[in-house]
Amino acid sequence: MKILILSGRFGFGHEMAANAVREEFMHQDPNAEVIQKDLPTYLSPYISKIIYKVFGLVAERYHRIYNLVYKISGKMNSGNRPSSPIIYRKFCRMIDEYRPDVIVCTHPFCEKAAATYKMKSESRILLVTCITDISMHKEWFASQTDLYLAPTVEVKDNLVGFGALPENVLVTGVPVRQQFLNKKVISDISENHSVPTKCSESEKQVLIMGGGLGIMPELNDILCTLHEMPGVKTTVITGKNQKLYETWKGCYDDIEVHGYVDQIGEFMRKADLVITKAGGITLFEILHSQVPMFIIRPFLEQEIVNARYAQKKGFARVVWDKKEDFAVELRKLLEDSRELEKMRICMAGAQKEIMDTELSEAVGEISVRGWESVSDYSFFKSDWMPILSLTGQRLLS
């Protein structure tokens, strides 16, 4: 059985979810034939570079425009509308090239392209959509999708309201990579990479992350605040933001700065507090790592929803008001070990409440349904095609 996983680098969360699904397939069957593709890049390498660059610029500097577009598109059920003829033709060529039995999509654009292909070709390929936003956007729904991996029960309820069958929606959370699930993998990583060690009870380890794009508002004030606090050691992950890395590398002796790192799960597990943007994939990576969150003035629409959700569940402290001094709140939290422990307990409860199906179980279900689809098609070809062929020959003679 061949599995084709499609994603897009819009904030890197979709790509990370795709990586997680691919890793789980390979973990269950090392011989599995799993193909992972960035669909916009496959369709048009040159145009996709421009699209991704514009997306990063808008998300970082013009987030009001981004939020407006997001809200407007959320009112349009574009998931059931066919993609353009050009995209359809290129998608057909990709299917002919890889001949998958299962397609897994981690972005609405990919789902729409796959749904259009299934609708026009009447293909029996199993289509799975992995939703990476806890705010249910109508773009995520397509009637041609056979199975959904939903991040929360609330998202499942919305999908059922749109017309999905309850048995075709598994609540898995946003899939995270093996390093967040498998302690042996984490141990192997820590032996080969430099990661911070857990501080003593009188010290606190703080991790700062800005997502895959390395966007972290007011980083200057955050680092100054942490530098002035005694007994606090800080690690900054700038992701693929090279400019940010070069700006802060070596500025403070008690602050380590890293660029893009693969072993992010180990950094999280060593931390007492993570200061970060409230991206969907980040939220669930932190949930699996069981480390409290501190979020400063989220500004992208999905992140605002995620921050509210984390705050409601009790495992994140969020500073909303622009006039509020986040430094005061940050100091109070880091000095209150009982509150940090309370937040960790809330995280454990939220993880159990949010996710009722393990990723391993979901991938097992995909494999079973994929084999059933292949078997049905094989049965049709082997048992009925000779009869149809013979009938056709007689009609022609």
Side-chain angles (χ1 to χ4, degrees), residues 267-281:
F267 280 91
M268 286 187 185
R269 291 178 189 273
K270 295 293 184 181
D272 295 289
L273 183 69
V274 176
I275 302 174
T276 186
K277 298 171 77 222
I281 191 71

Side-chain angles (χ1 to χ4, degrees), residues 149 169-173 354-363 365:
L149 307 186
V169 184
L170 304 179
V171 182
T172 60
I354 292 172
M355 295 167 277
D356 62 16
T357 303
E358 297 288 341
L359 178 59
S360 57
E361 297 172 336
V363 167
E365 178 67 15

Side-chain angles (χ1 to χ4, degrees), residues 255-355:
I255 296 176
E256 290 187 17
V257 181
H258 299 267
Y260 181 82
V261 297
D262 289 321
Q263 70 278 15
I264 191 68
E266 185 70 5
F267 280 91
M268 286 187 185
R269 291 178 189 273
K270 295 293 184 181
D272 295 289
L273 183 69
V274 176
I275 302 174
T276 186
K277 298 171 77 222
I281 191 71
T282 301
L283 186 74
F284 283 87
E285 287 175 348
I286 287 175
L287 266 174
H288 282 279
S289 302
Q290 299 289 286
V291 53
M293 301 174 69
F294 191 86
I295 303 168
I296 302 172
R297 305 182 187 103
F299 52 88
L300 295 181
E301 191 65 26
Q302 301 103 308
E303 293 171 1
I304 292 172
V305 174
N306 293 344
R308 286 175 181 156
Y309 194 86
Q311 184 182 53
K312 179 182 176 182
K313 297 297 181 182
F315 60 84
R317 183 68 56 83
V318 185
V319 177
W320 296 101
D321 194 340
K322 291 183 178 180
K323 297 179 181 179
E324 187 177 358
D325 186 358
F326 73 82
V328 174
E329 292 298 316
L330 183 56
R331 287 194 186 95
K332 283 171 57 179
L333 183 58
L334 284 172
E335 291 170 358
D336 193 340
S337 296
R338 288 186 177 181
E339 182 62 22
L340 288 172
E341 183 58 29
K342 180 181 176 181
M343 291 172 73
R344 286 182 183 272
I345 294 171
C346 287
M347 295 194 87
Q351 186 179 5
K352 292 179 180 178
E353 177 185 339
I354 292 172
M355 295 167 277

Side-chain angles (χ1 to χ4, degrees), residues 1 101 369-379:
M1 185 172 63
D101 303 300
R369 294 194 184 199
W371 280 118
E372 287 176 349
S373 178
V374 172
S375 299
D376 288 346
Y377 181 61
S378 298
F379 170 79

Side-chain angles (χ1 to χ4, degrees), residues 376-388:
D376 288 346
Y377 181 61
S378 298
F379 170 79
F380 177 79
K381 283 201 305 183
S382 61
D383 286 14
W384 289 101
M385 286 304 289
I387 298 174
L388 293 175

